[in-house]
Amino acid sequence: MLLDLKRIFGAYDAPVTAQLTFDLSGEDFPGYAVPEPVRASVTATLCGHVLELALTVEAKAVFECARCLAECERLFSVERVYSVREADLSDPDAELFFTPEGRLDLRELAYTELVLEIPSVLLCSDTCAGLCPVCGSRKPCSCRHETSGFADERLSVLKQLL
Ligand SMILES: [Zn+2]
Ligand SMILES: [Zn+2]
């Protein structure tokens, strides 16, 4: 959806608010996917010569835990406030990118902010211990091969010494 900032600057009388949903399921995200519609809201308020744009984006990321490979999902929300001056609309170096007609692509902006916000390496939990190198299940596993093997070896060396 394109937000017509030029028109808001030209004929402002009250804050402009919009609730939106975007389908970003076909977009390329690093290390996760966003299969469900993304909810966003934007409010544009003119304060003197500066238009304050408040954006919130809520998206559910679906990913594989980087340690144990479990399928997980997590909700992320992004809140950003941008300050736009009318001169920014035609300035290629402005913080935001506008179309030549002075419009802002909110879907593109939501996508960009999500990519910046969501880490590309995600874990099922901060304490995830990963997979057992012996049995391949999620730790703590029941095989105990790894630790008991070492203990037996050390014990037999000890026995020889005794
Ligand atoms: Zn995990
Ligand atoms: Zn194991």
Side-chain angles (χ1 to χ4, degrees):
M1 182 225 165
L2 294 171
L3 188 66
D4 195 341
L5 295 187
K6 199 170 195 170
R7 212 177 77 191
I8 297 175
F9 272 111
Y12 183 87
D13 52 1
V16 177
T17 301
Q19 310 287 332
L20 313 145
T21 44
F22 303 118
D23 176 13
L24 298 179
S25 60
E27 297 292 334
D28 199 19
F29 287 97
Y32 53 89
V34 181
E36 288 177 23
V38 169
R39 282 189 306 174
S41 75
V42 66
T43 303
T45 313
L46 194 63
C47 312
H49 292 291
V50 178
L51 191 67
E52 270 202 1
L53 274 183
L55 174 78
T56 63
V57 185
E58 260 190 18
K60 190 155 80 181
V62 175
F63 58 95
E64 227 176 39
C65 170
R67 285 188 200 147
C68 73
L69 309 180
E71 283 288 330
C72 307
E73 51 183 51
R74 193 172 305 155
L75 200 64
F76 287 89
S77 71
V78 183
E79 284 183 33
R80 297 275 187 275
V81 178
Y82 315 91
S83 298
V84 183
R85 290 172 178 274
E86 200 163 5
D88 292 340
L89 299 181
S90 50
D91 183 354
D93 297 325
E95 182 190 6
L96 298 172
F97 178 78
F98 307 101
T99 69
E101 297 78 35
R103 294 175 186 181
L104 179 65
D105 187 338
L106 293 173
R107 183 181 183 278
E108 185 65 34
L109 184 61
Y111 168 70
T112 306
E113 292 295 2
L114 287 175
V115 170
L116 291 174
E117 176 74 17
I118 304 176
S120 54
V121 175
L122 292 159
L123 300 175
C124 63
S125 85
D126 288 342
T127 56
C128 174
L131 298 177
C132 166
V134 177
C135 70
S137 352
R138 220 182 140 195
K139 285 196 228 171
C141 62
S142 51
C143 78
R144 294 172 184 276
H145 282 141
E146 197 185 8
T147 46
S148 63
F150 274 112
D152 286 348
E153 218 173 294
R154 259 183 273 144
L155 213 61
S156 61
V157 172
L158 205 63
K159 271 178 193 159
Q160 282 169 22
L161 289 174
L162 290 170

